[in-house]
Amino acid sequence: MKPPLKPTLTAPGTLAAKAVAKRPGFPVRLELDAGTPSATKKIAGRAHPERATGTFYQKIPARTALPSGVGLDSRAVRARMVQKLAAQGISDAQVLAAMGHVERHRFVDTALVNQAYEDTSLPIGLGQTISKPNVVARMLELLRQGAGSPAGKLGRVLEIGTGCGYQAAVLAELATEVYSIERLRGLHDKARENLRAFRLANVHLLFGDGMVGYAKGAPYAAIIAAAGGESIPAAWVEQLAVGGRLVAPMHIAGSAQALVVLDKTAQGVTQTVLEAVHFVPLKSGTS
């Protein structure tokens, strides 16, 4: 097994005027989009050999219109999806609002657009899938029910397994800051492209080994994983803040998986096993 590759951080949004929480220092290269009415320029920062580097994309002065995709006006379809989620037991108003706001069809292949708002997982390439809406909403609701969750937004969140970027976009509605790590270069690039036009200043995409987390951004108020292993990696527990909550699938018997909720308190860690789920396997390294 090759050694984990040091995460490379990129961000699909603009630089925030003021950070919502203390974040790790790292040099960045700021690129204005070429071909805009305003002048363009590039400001390069020298990378520190021990720090992650990244690119923040910013358009001045106006925001780029979201891609038209297949011309689908999905507002009514999203509203019906949210109604179904509520009927299935999702009751967190902020989660339902976020699910209703993010256009899921922009994160799936054109051939699958008509299935984008069905309660089903869909392939996104490289043997991976976008989780069905009910599972995404359920896991996000569990995160927000954690003892350390504020009445408003979650604090800094670590997502293991960016995939196509859909869950990161929903998390951006619910958290002050999102670090999302993906081990497959093809999916990392796809998520970066999918999220670029949304200009999510609080989302940072990383390419690296999700099993080791991202220590430079720790501690995290919440951690969520989109792949299941034999156990919860120790690095995730270490990077979770006291009072924080972790939600992830985990093997409980043979090939069976279940959702696991882990709460970290000053007295220790408690683990709760919930309903059965089916996620792709958690793997180490990058590809």
Side-chain angles (χ1 to χ4, degrees), residues 34-113:
T36 63
S38 55
T40 62
K41 62 182 178 178
K42 181 184 292 184
I43 304 174
R46 181 171 305 200
H48 190 287
E50 296 178 356
R51 295 178 182 172
T53 60
T55 303
F56 285 71
Y57 294 91
Q58 183 182 50
K59 177 176 167 60
I60 297 176
R63 292 176 60 174
T64 301
L66 295 180
S68 59
V70 294
L72 175 65
D73 182 355
S74 62
R75 284 174 294 183
V77 185
R78 295 200 311 274
R80 287 196 293 272
M81 179 188 74
V82 169
Q83 290 173 355
K84 290 180 181 178
L85 291 173
Q88 291 167 345
I90 304 300
S91 60
D92 189 303
Q94 290 194 35
V95 171
L96 290 172
M99 296 290 291
H101 182 258
V102 178
E103 297 170 309
R104 191 172 185 254
H105 70 275
R106 300 190 185 277
F107 296 86
V108 302
D109 292 339
T110 303
L112 300 173
V113 160

Side-chain angles (χ1 to χ4, degrees), residues 85 119 131-140 167 259 277 279:
L85 291 173
D119 195 28
S131 297
K132 60 183 184 179
N134 177 266
V135 171
V136 173
R138 168 68 168 153
M139 294 178 73
L140 295 178
Q167 186 168 264
L259 272 185
V277 290
F279 281 81

Side-chain angles (χ1 to χ4, degrees), residues 75 109 140 147 159 164 199 210 226 233 235 269-270 281:
R75 284 174 294 183
D109 292 339
L140 295 178
E159 179 189 32
C164 61
R199 303 297 180 187
V269 172
T270 61

Side-chain angles (χ1 to χ4, degrees), residues 164-263:
C164 61
Y166 172 70
Q167 186 168 264
V170 180
L171 276 168
E173 303 270 329
L174 302 171
T176 57
E177 195 168 15
V178 179
Y179 284 86
S180 183
I181 188 166
E182 174 58 53
R183 63 176 293 271
L184 299 176
R185 171 64 76 176
L187 289 185
H188 169 75
D189 292 342
K190 176 181 284 190
R192 184 172 56 184
E193 188 62 31
N194 287 342
L195 291 168
R196 187 188 305 273
F198 288 84
R199 303 297 180 187
L200 301 175
N202 63 336
V203 175
H204 313 290
L205 303 181
L206 303 101
F207 172 65
D209 185 351
M211 287 191 69
V212 301
Y214 185 59
K216 288 185 182 345
Y220 299 100
I223 297 177
I224 186 169
E230 298 296 329
S231 61
I232 302 297
W236 300 359
V237 180
E238 292 172 1
Q239 293 169 26
L240 186 64
V242 173
R245 169 170 282 196
L246 184 155
V247 177
M250 189 179 77
H251 290 288
I252 53 173
S255 59
Q257 287 183 345
L259 272 185
V260 170
V261 172
L262 188 150
D263 291 298

